[in-house]
Amino acid sequence: GVAGARLVALLRARSGDGAGAQARLMAPPGVRTPGDALPLALLGAALPEEDRALLVVSARRAVARAAQRERVGVLEHLGLGAAALDPRLGREVLALCVRALRRLGAVAEARALLGRVGACGAGLDLPELALEAALLEWTEGRPAQAAAALGVAAPPAGGRDLFLLLSRAQGPPRAPLRVPPLAHAPGTERAVELVARWAEALGVALDRAAVRAEAAAAGQDPAHPARVRALFEARDCEVLALGGDVRGTDALLAAQVPFLRYQITRDGARYVDLPLLVRHFDRDTGLWRLDEPDVERPDALPRASAAKSWALVVVPRARAALLAPLRGGAAEALGREVEALRADAGPGAPRPPAEAAGALASLYRGWIAYERARRDQDPDALAVAAAHLEHSRRVPPLLGFEEYARAQRRAARGEIAAALAGYARCALLEGESAELALARYAGLGRHARDQVDEARRALDDAVRRAPDDVRVLAARAVLFRALGEPGRARADLLRARDVRPDSIDLALMLAELCLDEDDPEAALAVLDDARRQGPAVADDERLRALRRRVEAERLARADDLEALREHRRSREPQTRQRLAFELAARGDAAAESVLRKLLFDPAPAVRVTVLRLYLHPRLRERAEQDELLLRRLVNVLERDPSEAVRAAAA
């Protein structure tokens, strides 16, 4: 049944098999009726919140796969299933399913899904769903219905500007705003899809394979401005960079000439200069309609955001007259300046100049300095970034990046209350994320040891949003260990190691925790498992040093000869040396029979140690009386390849 399918998916996700979890969620049985939703509601009530969060995250990723494969029926049951399992966490998945259906052209199915959400514990009073319902009406040319769909719901975090513009939409029905069907493509493939669609709309012969191959040959991202310029100029096109709020681009859109707009946007753990393909401009709402190949990103954007972004405009030379009104003005000069700054934004780039400039140039100088600070852990670069952003943030609209970088600077200076307020403003502008929760925790943990409860809440929030993020789980494990809750710390580290079994840092943390709990056997099991991940992990000196500590602890606890004997198989020479001392200390015949076998240990240092131990009166007497042992000692003296060992034997 549907609940059993979710349990199987949960087990796969917990074991690090994210693809398997998504495949199980996409397979039958699906959620079709309120009766299907009931077992999921019961399961959700029984599962811990973090397991529900892991299932919801898996469902969100499955939505992207289903959208890529145009699996309309799967999208419906994924959204309803997530909402039934956890109405609060699942509503974003449900909204994502509505968006994917709309962008696949399955408008009737999107409307039907919105009509069925109440049966699964969610409703259109939820801001995310209300906004998707309004966007559905707007893209279908029904502005009045778009405003009505928003009702009295509050704006969702990160969607305030869209919400306000759509709430004022009026006018008679008009033609739908059509873009090509969705082809979900995250990451680098998103950039390939974006450039290829742009070329297709311009009538330029440039397919996906060519975009991908030429970018790989140049070692650049396919949507990097320099790569885009080279691609189109090589195909007889005019390319123009424009900065700021450019009214001339409206005429291009009226002539059905899309353009690429770059805007600094969060992408996971980083802020990137994200390219957006603008297709239409709706004068009634002030919204741009985007051709967006990643279903997880919005496909509408307020035109007012142009003040904090820049554009690359491309036309075939036969239509170069379209660019004439845009040439020679301040927008072109600013566009050239930002494009030059953008070209120098890679590793090893010079520091951005500190002089004051326009808001857009200041924004990009601040972004370049922030990237340097993040990459090199350079506090001076963070100060430079903050100085530039103080200038840019005076011009609307305020960006999440500007608030985040400013808050990071304040956290570094110990101004925790101001930093937390900045993170909160950032969340309103771009939505909550695991990165923001981690930033809150880092600030609290570094400077406010008395605010443990707040730090813990921040990490719990991060785990809910990214339950399989290794960094988040490891950070919370460190906090639990410091708070004296080793069991919870171990649970988080085990979950993290399921996702990243080859992580040396996680293995170290988990083994150290086992030692804290006075369980060297468990610590050794962790280290043995890490060694099986491959030579690179097995030979790491940090792991080997910790293994020597663990084995020393086990040797000290050994209460019989069998417990000692097993350490002959240790790959650490220092452990085998310790074993020799322990055997010599016992002094009985059984222990000495194991000790004499170490005369042929592969490590010269171990053989030297054993020979010196035989100088002890009790062991020397045994050598004098045991002809076989004496013969072994003479054999070492005559034949051992190590001069140090032969000297010890002599």
Side-chain angles (χ1 to χ4, degrees), residues 107-161:
V107 175
E109 289 83 353
R111 291 187 193 281
L113 181 57
L114 284 168
R116 294 164 59 197
V117 296
C120 292
L124 288 179
D125 57 328
L126 297 174
E128 295 88 351
L129 286 172
L131 184 57
E132 285 302 328
L135 284 168
L136 176 63
E137 301 295 350
W138 175 66
T139 55
E140 287 300 299
R142 296 152 56 95
Q145 286 84 345
L150 293 173
V152 295
R160 178 177 174 275
D161 292 337

Short mmCIF file of all heavy atoms in Angstrom, two decimals, residues 107-161:
data_model
loop_
_atom_site.label_atom_id
_atom_site.label_comp_id
_atom_site.label_asym_id
_atom_site.label_seq_id
_atom_site.Cartn_x
_atom_site.Cartn_y
_atom_site.Cartn_z
N VAL A 107 -2.56 22.00 -17.89
CA VAL A 107 -3.28 23.01 -17.11
C VAL A 107 -4.48 22.39 -16.41
O VAL A 107 -4.74 22.67 -15.23
CB VAL A 107 -3.71 24.17 -18.03
CG1 VAL A 107 -4.56 25.17 -17.26
CG2 VAL A 107 -2.47 24.86 -18.61
N ALA A 108 -5.22 21.54 -17.11
CA ALA A 108 -6.39 20.92 -16.49
C ALA A 108 -5.98 20.07 -15.29
O ALA A 108 -6.65 20.09 -14.24
CB ALA A 108 -7.12 20.06 -17.52
N GLU A 109 -4.90 19.34 -15.43
CA GLU A 109 -4.44 18.51 -14.31
C GLU A 109 -3.97 19.37 -13.15
O GLU A 109 -4.18 19.01 -11.98
CB GLU A 109 -3.30 17.59 -14.78
CG GLU A 109 -3.73 16.48 -15.72
CD GLU A 109 -3.84 16.93 -17.17
OE1 GLU A 109 -3.70 18.16 -17.44
OE2 GLU A 109 -4.06 16.08 -18.04
N ALA A 110 -3.33 20.53 -13.45
CA ALA A 110 -2.91 21.43 -12.38
C ALA A 110 -4.12 21.97 -11.62
O ALA A 110 -4.12 22.03 -10.39
CB ALA A 110 -2.08 22.58 -12.96
N ARG A 111 -5.17 22.35 -12.36
CA ARG A 111 -6.39 22.84 -11.70
C ARG A 111 -7.02 21.73 -10.86
O ARG A 111 -7.49 21.97 -9.74
CB ARG A 111 -7.39 23.33 -12.74
CG ARG A 111 -6.97 24.59 -13.47
CD ARG A 111 -8.12 25.08 -14.37
NE ARG A 111 -7.67 26.08 -15.29
CZ ARG A 111 -7.48 27.36 -14.97
NH1 ARG A 111 -7.72 27.77 -13.74
NH2 ARG A 111 -7.07 28.22 -15.89
N ALA A 112 -7.05 20.51 -11.41
CA ALA A 112 -7.66 19.40 -10.67
C ALA A 112 -6.89 19.12 -9.39
O ALA A 112 -7.49 18.86 -8.34
CB ALA A 112 -7.70 18.16 -11.55
N LEU A 113 -5.56 19.21 -9.45
CA LEU A 113 -4.76 18.96 -8.26
C LEU A 113 -5.03 20.03 -7.21
O LEU A 113 -5.17 19.72 -6.01
CB LEU A 113 -3.27 18.94 -8.63
CG LEU A 113 -2.29 18.66 -7.50
CD1 LEU A 113 -2.60 17.33 -6.82
CD2 LEU A 113 -0.85 18.65 -8.02
N LEU A 114 -5.14 21.28 -7.62
CA LEU A 114 -5.46 22.34 -6.68
C LEU A 114 -6.83 22.12 -6.05
O LEU A 114 -7.05 22.46 -4.88
CB LEU A 114 -5.42 23.70 -7.38
CG LEU A 114 -4.03 24.27 -7.66
CD1 LEU A 114 -4.11 25.45 -8.62
CD2 LEU A 114 -3.34 24.68 -6.36
N GLY A 115 -7.74 21.53 -6.82
CA GLY A 115 -9.08 21.27 -6.29
C GLY A 115 -9.13 20.13 -5.30
O GLY A 115 -10.11 19.99 -4.55
N ARG A 116 -8.09 19.29 -5.26
CA ARG A 116 -8.12 18.11 -4.40
C ARG A 116 -7.24 18.23 -3.16
O ARG A 116 -7.16 17.30 -2.37
CB ARG A 116 -7.65 16.88 -5.20
CG ARG A 116 -8.60 16.51 -6.32
CD ARG A 116 -7.94 15.56 -7.30
NE ARG A 116 -7.49 14.34 -6.66
CZ ARG A 116 -6.62 13.49 -7.21
NH1 ARG A 116 -6.08 13.79 -8.38
NH2 ARG A 116 -6.27 12.39 -6.59
N VAL A 117 -6.58 19.38 -3.01
CA VAL A 117 -5.62 19.46 -1.91
C VAL A 117 -6.28 19.41 -0.54
O VAL A 117 -5.70 18.93 0.43
CB VAL A 117 -4.75 20.74 -2.02
CG1 VAL A 117 -3.90 20.68 -3.27
CG2 VAL A 117 -5.61 21.99 -2.00
N GLY A 118 -7.54 19.88 -0.44
CA GLY A 118 -8.21 19.86 0.85
C GLY A 118 -8.39 18.47 1.41
O GLY A 118 -8.37 18.26 2.63
N ALA A 119 -8.54 17.48 0.51
CA ALA A 119 -8.74 16.10 0.96
C ALA A 119 -7.49 15.52 1.60
O ALA A 119 -7.55 14.49 2.26
CB ALA A 119 -9.16 15.23 -0.22
N CYS A 120 -6.35 16.16 1.39
CA CYS A 120 -5.09 15.62 1.92
C CYS A 120 -4.50 16.49 3.03
O CYS A 120 -3.31 16.46 3.29
CB CYS A 120 -4.08 15.45 0.79
SG CYS A 120 -4.57 14.17 -0.36
N GLY A 121 -5.35 17.30 3.65
CA GLY A 121 -4.88 18.03 4.81
C GLY A 121 -4.30 19.39 4.52
O GLY A 121 -3.87 20.08 5.42
N ALA A 122 -4.22 19.79 3.25
CA ALA A 122 -3.71 21.12 2.90
C ALA A 122 -4.84 21.94 2.30
O ALA A 122 -5.90 21.42 1.97
CB ALA A 122 -2.55 20.99 1.92
N GLY A 123 -4.61 23.22 2.14
CA GLY A 123 -5.63 24.08 1.57
C GLY A 123 -5.02 25.26 0.86
O GLY A 123 -3.84 25.54 1.00
N LEU A 124 -5.84 25.97 0.07
CA LEU A 124 -5.33 27.10 -0.69
C LEU A 124 -5.07 28.32 0.19
O LEU A 124 -4.64 29.35 -0.29
CB LEU A 124 -6.32 27.47 -1.81
CG LEU A 124 -6.35 26.47 -2.97
CD1 LEU A 124 -7.36 26.91 -4.00
CD2 LEU A 124 -4.99 26.32 -3.60
N ASP A 125 -5.36 28.20 1.50
CA ASP A 125 -4.97 29.29 2.38
C ASP A 125 -3.47 29.26 2.66
O ASP A 125 -2.93 30.19 3.24
CB ASP A 125 -5.74 29.21 3.70
CG ASP A 125 -5.53 27.87 4.40
OD1 ASP A 125 -5.36 26.86 3.69
OD2 ASP A 125 -5.56 27.84 5.64
N LEU A 126 -2.78 28.19 2.23
CA LEU A 126 -1.34 28.14 2.37
C LEU A 126 -0.70 29.06 1.34
O LEU A 126 -1.05 29.00 0.16
CB LEU A 126 -0.83 26.71 2.18
CG LEU A 126 -1.34 25.70 3.21
CD1 LEU A 126 -0.90 24.30 2.85
CD2 LEU A 126 -0.84 26.06 4.60
N PRO A 127 0.24 29.92 1.75
CA PRO A 127 0.77 30.93 0.82
C PRO A 127 1.39 30.34 -0.44
O PRO A 127 1.17 30.87 -1.53
CB PRO A 127 1.83 31.65 1.67
CG PRO A 127 1.43 31.41 3.07
CD PRO A 127 0.79 30.07 3.10
N GLU A 128 2.15 29.24 -0.30
CA GLU A 128 2.80 28.67 -1.49
C GLU A 128 1.79 28.21 -2.52
O GLU A 128 1.96 28.43 -3.73
CB GLU A 128 3.69 27.48 -1.08
CG GLU A 128 4.86 27.85 -0.20
CD GLU A 128 4.53 27.85 1.28
OE1 GLU A 128 3.34 27.74 1.62
OE2 GLU A 128 5.46 27.99 2.08
N LEU A 129 0.71 27.56 -2.06
CA LEU A 129 -0.31 27.06 -2.99
C LEU A 129 -1.12 28.21 -3.58
O LEU A 129 -1.48 28.18 -4.76
CB LEU A 129 -1.23 26.08 -2.27
CG LEU A 129 -0.61 24.72 -1.99
CD1 LEU A 129 -1.52 23.90 -1.11
CD2 LEU A 129 -0.33 23.98 -3.29
N ALA A 130 -1.42 29.22 -2.76
CA ALA A 130 -2.16 30.37 -3.27
C ALA A 130 -1.38 31.07 -4.38
O ALA A 130 -1.94 31.46 -5.42
CB ALA A 130 -2.46 31.35 -2.14
N LEU A 131 -0.06 31.21 -4.20
CA LEU A 131 0.77 31.86 -5.21
C LEU A 131 0.81 31.03 -6.50
O LEU A 131 0.72 31.58 -7.60
CB LEU A 131 2.17 32.07 -4.67
CG LEU A 131 3.14 32.82 -5.58
CD1 LEU A 131 2.59 34.20 -5.95
CD2 LEU A 131 4.51 32.97 -4.91
N GLU A 132 0.92 29.70 -6.37
CA GLU A 132 0.94 28.86 -7.58
C GLU A 132 -0.41 28.90 -8.29
O GLU A 132 -0.46 28.89 -9.53
CB GLU A 132 1.30 27.43 -7.22
CG GLU A 132 2.77 27.22 -6.92
CD GLU A 132 3.69 27.63 -8.06
OE1 GLU A 132 3.29 27.49 -9.24
OE2 GLU A 132 4.79 28.11 -7.79
N ALA A 133 -1.50 28.96 -7.53
CA ALA A 133 -2.83 29.08 -8.15
C ALA A 133 -2.94 30.40 -8.93
O ALA A 133 -3.48 30.45 -10.04
CB ALA A 133 -3.92 28.99 -7.09
N ALA A 134 -2.40 31.49 -8.35
CA ALA A 134 -2.44 32.78 -9.03
C ALA A 134 -1.58 32.78 -10.29
O ALA A 134 -1.97 33.31 -11.33
CB ALA A 134 -1.99 33.88 -8.07
N LEU A 135 -0.39 32.18 -10.21
CA LEU A 135 0.48 32.11 -11.39
C LEU A 135 -0.17 31.29 -12.50
O LEU A 135 0.00 31.59 -13.69
CB LEU A 135 1.83 31.50 -11.00
CG LEU A 135 2.79 32.44 -10.25
CD1 LEU A 135 3.95 31.66 -9.66
CD2 LEU A 135 3.30 33.53 -11.18
N LEU A 136 -0.90 30.24 -12.12
CA LEU A 136 -1.60 29.44 -13.12
C LEU A 136 -2.61 30.30 -13.88
O LEU A 136 -2.68 30.26 -15.12
CB LEU A 136 -2.29 28.26 -12.43
CG LEU A 136 -3.15 27.36 -13.33
CD1 LEU A 136 -2.30 26.69 -14.39
CD2 LEU A 136 -3.87 26.31 -12.49
N GLU A 137 -3.38 31.09 -13.15
CA GLU A 137 -4.36 31.95 -13.81
C GLU A 137 -3.67 33.03 -14.64
O GLU A 137 -4.10 33.34 -15.76
CB GLU A 137 -5.27 32.61 -12.76
CG GLU A 137 -6.05 31.63 -11.89
CD GLU A 137 -7.07 30.83 -12.69
OE1 GLU A 137 -7.32 31.13 -13.87
OE2 GLU A 137 -7.62 29.86 -12.12
N TRP A 138 -2.60 33.61 -14.12
CA TRP A 138 -1.91 34.68 -14.84
C TRP A 138 -1.31 34.18 -16.15
O TRP A 138 -1.46 34.82 -17.19
CB TRP A 138 -0.81 35.25 -13.93
CG TRP A 138 0.06 36.27 -14.59
CD1 TRP A 138 -0.31 37.51 -15.04
CD2 TRP A 138 1.45 36.12 -14.90
NE1 TRP A 138 0.77 38.16 -15.59
CE2 TRP A 138 1.87 37.33 -15.53
CE3 TRP A 138 2.39 35.13 -14.69
CZ2 TRP A 138 3.17 37.54 -15.96
CZ3 TRP A 138 3.70 35.34 -15.11
CH2 TRP A 138 4.07 36.52 -15.74
N THR A 139 -0.62 33.04 -16.12
CA THR A 139 -0.01 32.52 -17.35
C THR A 139 -1.07 32.07 -18.36
O THR A 139 -0.78 32.01 -19.56
CB THR A 139 0.93 31.35 -17.05
OG1 THR A 139 0.23 30.34 -16.33
CG2 THR A 139 2.12 31.81 -16.23
N GLU A 140 -2.28 31.79 -17.89
CA GLU A 140 -3.37 31.42 -18.80
C GLU A 140 -4.16 32.63 -19.28
O GLU A 140 -5.20 32.48 -19.92
CB GLU A 140 -4.31 30.43 -18.10
CG GLU A 140 -3.73 29.04 -17.95
CD GLU A 140 -3.41 28.42 -19.29
OE1 GLU A 140 -4.33 28.24 -20.11
OE2 GLU A 140 -2.22 28.14 -19.52
N GLY A 141 -3.66 33.84 -18.96
CA GLY A 141 -4.30 35.06 -19.46
C GLY A 141 -5.54 35.47 -18.71
O GLY A 141 -6.44 36.09 -19.28
N ARG A 142 -5.62 35.18 -17.41
CA ARG A 142 -6.79 35.52 -16.60
C ARG A 142 -6.34 36.34 -15.40
O ARG A 142 -6.27 35.85 -14.27
CB ARG A 142 -7.49 34.24 -16.15
CG ARG A 142 -8.06 33.43 -17.31
CD ARG A 142 -8.12 31.94 -16.99
NE ARG A 142 -8.88 31.63 -15.79
CZ ARG A 142 -10.17 31.28 -15.78
NH1 ARG A 142 -10.84 31.22 -16.93
NH2 ARG A 142 -10.78 30.99 -14.66
N PRO A 143 -5.99 37.62 -15.61
CA PRO A 143 -5.40 38.42 -14.52
C PRO A 143 -6.34 38.63 -13.34
O PRO A 143 -5.90 38.60 -12.18
CB PRO A 143 -5.05 39.74 -15.20
CG PRO A 143 -5.89 39.79 -16.43
CD PRO A 143 -6.08 38.37 -16.87
N ALA A 144 -7.63 38.86 -13.60
CA ALA A 144 -8.55 39.09 -12.49
C ALA A 144 -8.65 37.85 -11.61
O ALA A 144 -8.68 37.93 -10.37
CB ALA A 144 -9.93 39.48 -13.02
N GLN A 145 -8.70 36.68 -12.24
CA GLN A 145 -8.76 35.43 -11.47
C GLN A 145 -7.46 35.19 -10.70
O GLN A 145 -7.46 34.57 -9.63
CB GLN A 145 -9.05 34.25 -12.39
CG GLN A 145 -10.49 34.18 -12.88
CD GLN A 145 -10.72 35.06 -14.11
OE1 GLN A 145 -9.90 35.92 -14.44
NE2 GLN A 145 -11.85 34.84 -14.77
N ALA A 146 -6.34 35.68 -11.25
CA ALA A 146 -5.06 35.54 -10.54
C ALA A 146 -5.11 36.30 -9.23
O ALA A 146 -4.69 35.79 -8.18
CB ALA A 146 -3.92 36.06 -11.41
N ALA A 147 -5.63 37.53 -9.26
CA ALA A 147 -5.74 38.32 -8.03
C ALA A 147 -6.69 37.66 -7.05
O ALA A 147 -6.43 37.60 -5.84
CB ALA A 147 -6.20 39.74 -8.36
N ALA A 148 -7.80 37.12 -7.57
CA ALA A 148 -8.78 36.48 -6.68
C ALA A 148 -8.21 35.23 -6.03
O ALA A 148 -8.55 34.90 -4.88
CB ALA A 148 -10.04 36.14 -7.47
N ALA A 149 -7.34 34.50 -6.75
CA ALA A 149 -6.80 33.24 -6.21
C ALA A 149 -5.95 33.49 -4.97
O ALA A 149 -5.83 32.61 -4.11
CB ALA A 149 -5.96 32.54 -7.28
N LEU A 150 -5.37 34.68 -4.86
CA LEU A 150 -4.52 34.96 -3.71
C LEU A 150 -5.34 35.15 -2.44
O LEU A 150 -4.85 34.91 -1.34
CB LEU A 150 -3.66 36.20 -3.97
CG LEU A 150 -2.61 36.02 -5.07
CD1 LEU A 150 -1.93 37.34 -5.36
CD2 LEU A 150 -1.58 34.98 -4.67
N GLY A 151 -6.59 35.60 -2.58
CA GLY A 151 -7.47 35.74 -1.44
C GLY A 151 -6.86 36.62 -0.37
O GLY A 151 -6.31 37.69 -0.64
N VAL A 152 -6.92 36.14 0.86
CA VAL A 152 -6.39 36.92 1.99
C VAL A 152 -5.11 36.28 2.53
O VAL A 152 -4.65 36.63 3.61
CB VAL A 152 -7.43 37.02 3.13
CG1 VAL A 152 -8.63 37.81 2.67
CG2 VAL A 152 -7.86 35.63 3.59
N ALA A 153 -4.56 35.32 1.79
CA ALA A 153 -3.34 34.64 2.26
C ALA A 153 -2.20 35.63 2.35
O ALA A 153 -2.11 36.60 1.59
CB ALA A 153 -2.98 33.51 1.32
N ALA A 154 -1.31 35.39 3.29
CA ALA A 154 -0.11 36.22 3.42
C ALA A 154 0.91 35.78 2.39
O ALA A 154 0.91 34.64 1.94
CB ALA A 154 0.45 36.08 4.83
N PRO A 155 1.82 36.68 1.99
CA PRO A 155 2.85 36.28 1.00
C PRO A 155 3.76 35.20 1.57
O PRO A 155 4.11 35.24 2.75
CB PRO A 155 3.63 37.58 0.76
CG PRO A 155 2.76 38.68 1.27
CD PRO A 155 1.94 38.09 2.37
N PRO A 156 4.16 34.25 0.76
CA PRO A 156 5.14 33.26 1.23
C PRO A 156 6.52 33.88 1.30
O PRO A 156 6.83 34.84 0.59
CB PRO A 156 5.09 32.17 0.15
CG PRO A 156 4.68 32.90 -1.09
CD PRO A 156 3.76 34.01 -0.64
N ALA A 157 7.37 33.35 2.17
CA ALA A 157 8.75 33.82 2.25
C ALA A 157 9.43 33.64 0.91
O ALA A 157 9.34 32.58 0.29
CB ALA A 157 9.50 33.06 3.33
N GLY A 158 10.08 34.70 0.44
CA GLY A 158 10.76 34.65 -0.84
C GLY A 158 9.88 34.99 -2.03
O GLY A 158 10.38 35.12 -3.14
N GLY A 159 8.55 35.12 -1.82
CA GLY A 159 7.65 35.41 -2.94
C GLY A 159 6.82 36.66 -2.75
O GLY A 159 5.78 36.83 -3.37
N ARG A 160 7.29 37.55 -1.87
CA ARG A 160 6.49 38.73 -1.53
C ARG A 160 6.24 39.63 -2.74
O ARG A 160 5.11 40.07 -2.97
CB ARG A 160 7.21 39.52 -0.43
CG ARG A 160 6.51 40.79 0.00
CD ARG A 160 7.26 41.47 1.15
NE ARG A 160 6.67 42.75 1.47
CZ ARG A 160 6.97 43.89 0.84
NH1 ARG A 160 7.85 43.87 -0.15
NH2 ARG A 160 6.39 45.02 1.18
N ASP A 161 7.27 39.90 -3.55
CA ASP A 161 7.10 40.80 -4.68
C ASP A 161 6.14 40.22 -5.72
O ASP A 161 5.27 40.93 -6.25
CB ASP A 161 8.45 41.10 -5.32
CG ASP A 161 9.34 41.94 -4.41
OD1 ASP A 161 8.80 42.63 -3.52
OD2 ASP A 161 10.57 41.89 -4.57
#
